[in-house]
Amino acid sequence: MSETPQTNPYRDMMGKAFANAIPLNAQFEITYRCNHLCTFCYNSPTGQRELTTPQIFEALKKMADFGVLYLTLTGGEAMCHKDFWAIAAETRRLGMALRVYSNGFLLGDKKVVNRLAKLGPHEVEISLHGARPESHEALTHIKGSFDKTVQALDNLVEAGIKVNLKCPITKLNQDELIGVRDIGEKRGLFVTFDPVITPKDDGNQDPLSLRPDDAFFERYWGELYQELHHGKLPPRANHCAAEGSEANCGTARSGFTIDPYGNILPCVAFRRQVANILEIDSLERIWRTSPVLNEVRDLAVQASDELRKHKDGQYFQFCLGVAEVQTGDPLGIYPQAEVNAGAVRKTYELLQIEDKNDGRKSA
Amino acid sequence: MSSAPEKPLRHPETAFRTIGDEGGLVVMSGRQEVKVLNPAAIKIFTMLDGEHSREQIAEAIAGEFDVSAEDALKDVNAFIDDLAQHGMLNATP
């Protein structure tokens, strides 16, 4: 009656959920509080009052009733919420698989990790901003944060908790990505490098000043990518779209986001307000009838159609949310996406690979 | 039949979701395990609440799917035993 997830039935099931816009994931930004001061943070607190803990519990119940399978607690720094432990426990009590996005600072303490392990989290995602304290802390502006985060990796691995290690690529770490990869691999962890720096949620473009220049990305998508990934080729599709999907990505489809004020958003990047979770009876009805969500789903399909017309269309990794914040148009081609797509195309051309992978897999 | 209880209860660390009429997914959170279930299996899984007996579950399956009550009970028992072997049932409901 059951199959292991690595076989086709798992992918088929995920594809069916994606095609039918059955959301399996929700990201819950439970607070904008944070113990880091990252230069490129995209959060834009408005000064409104954040949800109280009872209101967070109410939101969790609505998400569980809606059938959310994977619930991610994030922020800000989720663990800076004064009731983080109660919220995480409630997530599990309601039967949702718990993911935590964290900067790892507090997880540098073994006692904290052991407490987390008792909740049976599905995984923890940690961001590392460099291979050295100088580069990591130039972004976080917190002395000692590098050592704490690396210690967190050790603690999590030792506790048997699955870790997703991420590294957003910036001018400050672009020359030490191999070192970041090695920090992960030494602990048995795969590192996901994020080549896109996003503007702030309120449209402020300052974080983009940390983006490496175009020449770096030519190199990154060429030999550096393959070196980092042991010979694997760059991806040619959005990581958040199901294989063969007509939609460009999973916004308003595979999941949604709740901000610290309770606003329901199509995803973490596309922050059009749908409704406030405290003001609705159930997510089921709003999910199917919201004009905002339906428009966003249509836009994700239109984006695929538009990208197909572009000369580098098949190489694009395109985010509607970034496009809207950066160009004012969710279908607008923003420079980072275009540069990346062009560089990926060149890599495939250099290797004379078109529709087949020449025996090598793309990551 | 295994030593799984007569009124089985799914493990508290499991999370599951029905996907339309296609079946569903079960996640064993602490172990990063995911199972893909067909429609009958997800129906059984939803009824593993410590309140339904194996016979009651089999009756529901026979009523909903094209299977005899006898075969349904065999399937229910086999599936519950499989879940128990994978640690997806609560040992002490």
Side-chain angles (χ1 to χ4, degrees):
Chain A
M1 282 191 179
S2 63
E3 302 282 349
T4 55
Q6 283 73 28
T7 57
N8 283 336
Y10 178 72
R11 250 179 291 162
D12 288 351
M13 190 65 82
M14 297 301 280
K16 281 167 189 162
F18 192 93
N20 293 306
I22 297 171
L24 300 177
N25 308 288
Q27 285 197 23
F28 197 174
E29 298 168 340
I30 56 174
T31 182
Y32 279 136
R33 283 169 187 261
C34 190
N35 47 9
H36 283 181
L37 299 163
C38 295
T39 314
F40 62 12
C41 180
Y42 57 79
N43 286 165
S44 302
T46 64
Q48 289 170 262
R49 194 175 141 190
E50 295 187 349
L51 296 180
T52 63
T53 301
Q55 288 170 332
I56 287 173
F57 276 36
E58 181 184 335
L60 288 173
K61 175 76 167 57
K62 285 177 180 170
M63 285 188 265
D65 289 346
F66 185 34
V68 167
L69 188 59
Y70 300 101
L71 192 282
T72 301
L73 296 180
T74 179
E77 169 58 37
M79 298 191 74
C80 283
H81 192 289
K82 68 181 176 61
D83 291 323
F84 169 79
W85 295 106
I87 294 164
E90 180 68 0
T91 301
R92 294 295 300 117
R93 192 190 69 78
L94 289 167
M96 294 181 281
L98 172 67
R99 286 175 169 150
V100 179
Y101 285 1
S102 173
N103 56 39
F105 191 83
L106 296 170
L107 295 166
D109 182 338
K110 266 191 189 183
K111 291 195 291 288
V112 174
V113 171
N114 290 338
R115 188 174 179 187
L116 183 63
K118 285 180 186 159
L119 290 172
H122 191 66
E123 62 188 16
V124 174
E125 184 167 301
I126 302 281
S127 292
L128 188 63
H129 301 294
R132 299 171 300 124
E134 293 79 9
S135 50
H136 181 85
E137 291 165 16
L139 270 166
T140 65
H141 296 287
I142 299 295
K143 196 164 172 49
S145 58
F146 176 82
D147 287 343
K148 290 267 192 184
T149 298
V150 172
Q151 184 61 50
L153 300 178
D154 288 332
N155 293 344
L156 289 163
V157 169
E158 189 182 328
I161 296 173
K162 184 184 174 193
V163 179
N164 278 339
L165 185 55
K166 276 183 71 173
C167 176
I169 302 173
T170 66
K171 277 180 182 168
L172 303 174
N173 65 24
Q174 67 180 69
D175 295 325
E176 50 192 75
L177 301 185
I178 298 288
V180 173
R181 180 203 66 185
D182 290 346
I183 287 172
E185 288 190 350
K186 191 176 161 195
R187 293 161 177 82
L189 305 174
F190 176 80
V191 183
T192 303
F193 294 94
D194 187 348
V196 178
I197 303 292
T198 60
K200 287 185 180 290
D201 291 338
D202 63 4
N204 182 319
Q205 309 279 319
D206 288 352
L208 301 183
S209 64
L210 283 166
R211 178 185 177 272
D213 61 22
D214 293 354
F216 167 80
F217 283 108
E218 295 281 340
R219 194 166 64 83
Y220 174 75
W221 290 114
E223 72 268 25
L224 182 54
Y225 187 93
Q226 292 171 69
E227 189 181 352
L228 279 169
H229 297 88
H230 303 293
K232 282 187 177 175
L233 295 170
R236 283 187 286 187
N238 265 6
H239 66 277
C240 57
E243 206 171 271
S245 164
E246 61 174 355
N248 166 74
C249 65
T251 186
R253 187 173 291 269
S254 59
F256 58 91
T257 293
I258 308 283
D259 77 9
Y261 313 126
N263 296 310
I264 304 165
L265 313 167
C267 70
V268 69
F270 204 174
R271 301 181 78 90
R272 287 190 183 181
Q273 290 186 20
V274 176
N276 191 289
I277 196 158
L278 300 180
E279 294 168 0
I280 60 167
D281 293 331
S282 84
L283 276 160
E284 179 71 45
R285 195 173 56 81
I286 201 94
W287 186 255
R288 295 293 163 200
T289 61
S290 160
V292 175
L293 291 173
N294 285 327
E295 185 189 356
V296 169
R297 286 179 199 124
D298 288 345
L299 283 167
V301 175
Q302 283 178 49
S304 289
D305 294 340
E306 290 300 315
L307 291 175
R308 271 194 284 274
K309 296 174 192 164
H310 194 282
K311 68 180 170 63
D312 294 331
Q314 65 172 313
Y315 302 101
F316 260 88
Q317 293 188 64
F318 185 79
C319 173
L320 287 90
V322 174
E324 180 154 273
V325 177
Q326 215 163 320
T327 72
D329 175 3
L331 301 178
I333 302 289
Y334 49 98
Q336 281 179 280
E338 196 157 35
V339 167
N340 288 340
V344 174
R345 173 181 50 77
K346 280 182 194 166
T347 297
Y348 277 83
E349 283 176 357
L350 278 171
L351 294 166
Q352 296 184 313
I353 297 168
E354 289 179 355
D355 290 323
K356 58 184 179 181
N357 282 340
D358 196 28
R360 287 196 276 179
K361 289 180 180 174
S362 58
Chain B
M1 203 191 320
S2 76
S3 58
E6 184 52 33
K7 290 185 176 178
L9 176 63
R10 56 184 172 269
H11 196 286
E13 281 196 7
T14 56
F16 68 100
R17 165 128 205 187
T18 302
I19 313 278
D21 297 327
E22 311 288 346
L25 295 172
V26 177
V27 179
M28 189 71 181
S29 189
R31 286 193 241 148
Q32 297 95 42
E33 281 182 27
V34 185
K35 269 183 169 294
V36 180
L37 303 185
N38 67 24
I42 197 77
K43 171 79 178 176
I44 297 170
F45 198 83
T46 59
M47 295 183 75
L48 300 179
D49 53 9
E51 293 178 9
H52 290 90
S53 69
R54 291 166 182 251
E55 286 73 17
Q56 286 172 318
I57 296 171
E59 200 175 306
I61 294 295
E64 196 167 321
F65 300 91
D66 186 19
V67 61
S68 69
E70 193 182 339
D71 286 344
L73 186 57
K74 277 185 201 163
D75 286 346
V76 166
N77 282 331
F79 180 55
I80 289 172
D81 289 350
D82 183 50
L83 291 174
Q85 280 171 15
H86 284 86
M88 288 185 163
L89 288 186
N90 198 355
T92 53

